[in-house]
Structure formats: structure tokens, C-alpha cells
Amino acid sequence: MLSRRTGFFVESVIRDMTRLSLKHNAINLAQGFPDFPAPEEIKRAGAAAIMDDHNQYSITWGAKELRDEISRKAREYNKIESDPESEITITCGSTEAMMASVLAVINEGDEVVVFEPFYENYGPDAAVSGAVPRFVPLDDELNIDEGALVSAFNKKTKMLILNTPNNPSGKVFTKDEMKLIADLCVDHDVIAVTDEIYEYILYDGKKHISIGSLDEMRDRTITISGFSKTYSVTGWRIGYAIAEKNLTSGIRKVHDFLTVGAPAPLQHACVSALRMPDSYYSDLARMYDGKRRLLHKALNDAGLKCRMPDGAYYILADIPEDAGMDDMEFAKYLVSEVGVASVPGSSFYKSEVGRHKLRFTFSKKEETLLEAARRLGNLGF
Ligand code: PLP
């Protein structure tokens, strides 16, 4: 009964782990959403937008006021110039922006370069569009293997997907790495699609660089971001794609027939979000830095060795060898016996490496993380 394309991927393991977490009354460090309240100003703006009757369809590619604000923010923060009339599309989360971009650009059989580890949605995004993914593993220190990257490009390569700061590894790509990627995209006439949803969650003085700001990349980059993570409103489902006119016209067509538009009142509230003072963003990063340190220590103390992430709000940890379990078995053991939900590493890897890892999020209240730390303390590896 079902199409062949739905057979190319499985249901999200992350959302599956959330269901298991509920079943076992565990602490959910699987899915990356905050368990603390969204900022008061933004919630008030959302409620006001509904009471002010912004309750009907907005223009399909997004409310003009929000596109104008996104264009300003992209110029100031991402160093990308964009025409809000013809180069910005507001979508139902960055998830839709990514799927619409892939559907707009890819023909069956085109190849898409993806770094490993990767955010689990990129596999299904590629599968639905008929693309062939080419995974390029980062090394143990999360550096690019230049030879592997160069050899991933060929005549069939149409797109490269970049995610910085990265989920699950916390890697923040450097200017030199961007330059290497950009040169390859230019030489092979490839479109870069960049998922920058964690662009404000950076640690230890790391800087966010958008590949679309590099010479010759503006017109071959689709820059995707959204409001879920920066403003702690993952349920609002507002994201966007910034791309040159012609690319945008394709994205808008897919978006129109897929969803018509993103939630109208919440688009209005997102205008207020983009007008938050600079201190909002430094406070956000500082808050997550404290949580990062807490979870990093708890995992290492429990024998789950891990490195400090440079950005985003996840930690990838190694499963202790003497556990004698793979990632699926260990994740199930942790959720049912220890009461902490994580995500099996194989959700983020094509290779075997993921079988030895678990991902934990620290986008939770301090008390939630402390309780998780207490439970993990009973592990004894
Ligand atoms: N991209 C990455 C890398 C993510 O980690 C997530 C959520 O976890 C998303 C996109 C989803 O974002 P949105 O809520 O805007 O659809």
C-alpha cells in the first residue's frame, strides 16, 4: 500500500526514545527541547498577536514584517544581504525549510554530501527527494579529512548539507574549513544548504560563521535557521530559508503546496523575538554553558567518556567497553533501569562508529540535569 520512498527510512528514533522515556518515567535527555519556560516577552507577543486577530493565513512565504526583520538580522549577524521580497521564505520550522530546499533543488540520482555525524533528518530528506547521500566522516577530533571530502565530490554532486553548530557533535566549523568547503562547492557548481538553528548557542568565545557570507557563496547557499532553539519555542514551528531569487522561487513553490504557510500569529510574535537586545543572546549562551559543564562532568563521572561541545546543546558520549552492549541495547538499559533517556548513536552515523555512542541533551532545567546526574551516578562503570 505504501510508496517505496517511505520504505527508505524509519520513524525518528529520537521521538521514539521520548515515548519510551514517558513509559518508564525517565528523565528525557533524548529530545532537544527545553523543559523550562519560554521568555515572557515572546509569550506575551504571541498571545497579543492572537488577540489582535492575526489569525488568518499570512502571505504564503511569510508575513512581510517578519521577512524584513529576518533580512536585517541576516545582514547584521550572518553578514548575508537578502531581499526580503524575493529571497526569504518563512516555513513550519527549519525542518520544513530543509525538506523544501532539498525537494526544490534535487533530481532523482543527484548526490548530496553530508558530514558524519549528522542530524538524523538529513537521511530522510535525501531519501524523499531521490538523492543519493555521500557521507564524509569527521575524524576523532571532529576535523575534516580533506582527502575524503575532495573525493566525495563528483559530476553527480548537486548539494552539500552543512550544520554548524552541529547536532550531535557540538562542532563549530571554522573559517578555514568553510573556505575549503566553499572552494569545492564553487569548483563543482554545488549548492550549499546550511542548517544554522544553533547559531547563537556557542561556548568558549567560539564565533558563528555563515558559509553564505563567503565570497562567491551568496548565490549558491540556502541559509536555514529558525526560532525553536534560540527562543525556546520548539512547538511554535517557525523557521526560514534565505536564498537567491531563483532558488527561493523553487523553495516557495514546494512550501506553498506543502503547508500554505507557517502559523500567522506566531510569525508576528517572532518579530518581537528578533528585536530582543544583544544581552538576550549572551545570557542564553551563558545559561547553556552552565548546563553543558554540569552534564559533561556527570557523564564523565559515570564512565561515559565525552568531550566538551563547542556549540549547540548536546553531548556525544562513548559507551563503556565493559558494558558489553551496543547503542540500542545500552540506550534501552539506561531508560528502563537507570531512568535516563538518550539517543542511540547510530541515529547520527552511517558507519559503525555510532554503535558505540549515545547522545544526551542538556537543554533542561538545572534540577532536571542534577537528578539525571544522580541517577547516572548509580551506573558504576
Ligand atoms: N536542525 C537541527 C540540527 C536540529 O537539531 C533540529 C532540532 O533538534 C532542527 C533542525 C529542527 O528545528 P525546527 O524546530 O526549526 O524544525
Side-chain angles (χ1 to χ4, degrees):
M1 293 276 266
L2 291 174
S3 73
R4 233 176 304 133
R5 84 172 62 82
T6 61
F8 294 151
F9 52 96
V10 293
E11 270 194 55
S12 161
V13 177
I14 299 179
R15 277 145 332 251
D16 214 29
M17 286 307 293
T18 291
R19 287 189 286 272
L20 266 184
S21 180
L22 285 169
K23 182 174 157 201
H24 292 285
N25 206 12
I27 293 180
N28 186 0
L29 302 188
Q31 203 174 356
F33 63 87
D35 66 346
F36 45 84
E40 191 73 20
E41 306 88 302
I42 300 176
K43 287 191 291 194
R44 284 192 191 287
I50 290 176
M51 293 316 290
D52 290 347
D53 247 328
H54 291 289
N55 294 316
Q56 311 308 327
Y57 301 126
S58 69
I59 298 170
T60 183
W61 47 82
K64 176 173 163 37
E65 228 188 331
L66 182 56
R67 281 181 284 117
D68 288 348
E69 272 304 309
I70 290 170
S71 181
R72 176 197 57 75
K73 172 262 178 191
R75 178 169 56 251
E76 290 172 6
Y77 188 67
N78 307 94
K79 313 291 177 225
I80 296 172
E81 291 293 335
S82 59
D83 174 3
E85 289 311 315
S86 58
E87 297 184 320
I88 295 178
T89 312
I90 296 165
T91 53
C92 293
S94 61
T95 301
E96 193 220 337
M98 178 60 75
M99 185 65 97
S101 300
V102 172
L103 287 172
V105 170
I106 292 297
N107 287 309
E108 184 108 21
D110 288 342
E111 293 193 6
V112 177
V113 175
V114 182
F115 290 103
E116 181 195 73
F118 48 81
Y119 175 52
E120 68 155 6
N121 280 31
Y122 304 152
D125 287 337
V128 166
S129 65
V132 179
R134 279 246 178 191
F135 296 102
V136 176
L138 297 174
D139 70 17
D140 290 347
E141 296 301 310
L142 299 175
N143 293 317
I144 296 177
D145 174 344
E146 191 171 335
L149 180 61
V150 170
S151 62
F153 282 75
N154 61 56
K155 282 203 187 96
K156 291 187 179 164
T157 314
K158 184 81 182 284
M159 179 183 278
L160 172 137
I161 296 179
L162 186 66
N163 170 216
T164 182
N166 181 262
N167 169 9
S169 69
K171 178 180 172 65
V172 175
F173 285 75
T174 64
K175 185 94 189 230
D176 285 347
E177 290 172 329
M178 297 272 186
K179 183 89 188 63
L180 169 68
I181 297 166
D183 286 347
L184 283 164
C185 288
V186 171
D187 288 351
H188 292 82
D189 196 17
V190 162
I191 308 280
V193 181
T194 161
D195 178 343
E196 303 183 11
I197 187 100
Y198 299 102
E199 61 192 330
Y200 289 103
I201 304 178
L202 298 154
Y203 312 110
D204 307 325
K206 289 281 178 306
K207 293 273 175 285
H208 178 68
I209 298 165
S210 293
I211 197 165
S213 69
L214 270 61
D215 290 347
E216 298 184 78
M217 286 306 287
R218 198 202 90 99
D219 289 352
R220 59 172 66 256
T221 300
I222 302 174
T223 304
I224 292 175
S225 192
F227 294 82
S228 291
K229 314 290 177 171
T230 306
Y231 304 100
S232 305
V233 287
T234 58
W236 280 20
R237 314 307 307 130
I238 310 279
Y240 55 88
I242 305 174
E244 164 281 332
K245 241 190 192 138
N246 187 40
L247 286 171
T248 290
S249 73
I251 294 168
R252 285 182 175 182
K253 273 194 265 185
V254 177
H255 161 72
D256 190 1
F257 292 107
L258 216 52
T259 65
V260 178
L266 303 181
Q267 291 189 48
H268 280 269
C270 286
V271 172
S272 314
L274 287 174
R275 291 179 182 158
M276 297 289 259
D278 289 350
S279 58
Y280 174 80
Y281 303 96
S282 41
D283 289 350
L284 180 82
R286 195 169 322 112
M287 171 191 72
Y288 277 124
D289 184 28
K291 297 178 190 301
R292 171 182 76 136
R293 289 171 194 278
L294 199 166
L295 184 64
H296 178 261
K297 180 168 183 328
L299 290 170
N300 274 310
D301 287 353
L304 302 168
K305 295 278 163 277
C306 53
R307 67 190 291 285
M308 277 279 202
D310 291 331
Y313 51 47
Y314 305 93
I315 294 182
L316 258 187
D318 292 333
I319 297 169
E321 270 174 32
D322 44 357
M325 290 184 243
D326 72 11
D327 61 329
M328 281 298 199
E329 292 162 345
F330 199 65
K332 282 189 179 150
Y333 166 75
L334 267 191
V335 72
S336 60
E337 306 302 319
V338 181
V340 176
S342 59
V343 182
S346 47
S347 296
F348 312 102
Y349 289 83
K350 176 79 176 151
S351 68
E352 285 295 299
V353 176
R355 297 220 154 272
H356 308 288
K357 294 185 185 294
L358 294 181
R359 190 201 73 176
F360 298 82
T361 180
F362 51 89
S363 60
K364 305 293 168 191
K365 288 187 247 182
E366 187 174 315
E367 67 195 71
T368 311
L369 295 172
L370 285 171
E371 176 57 18
R374 192 190 63 75
R375 294 185 186 191
L376 288 167
N378 299 329
L379 250 182
F381 285 103

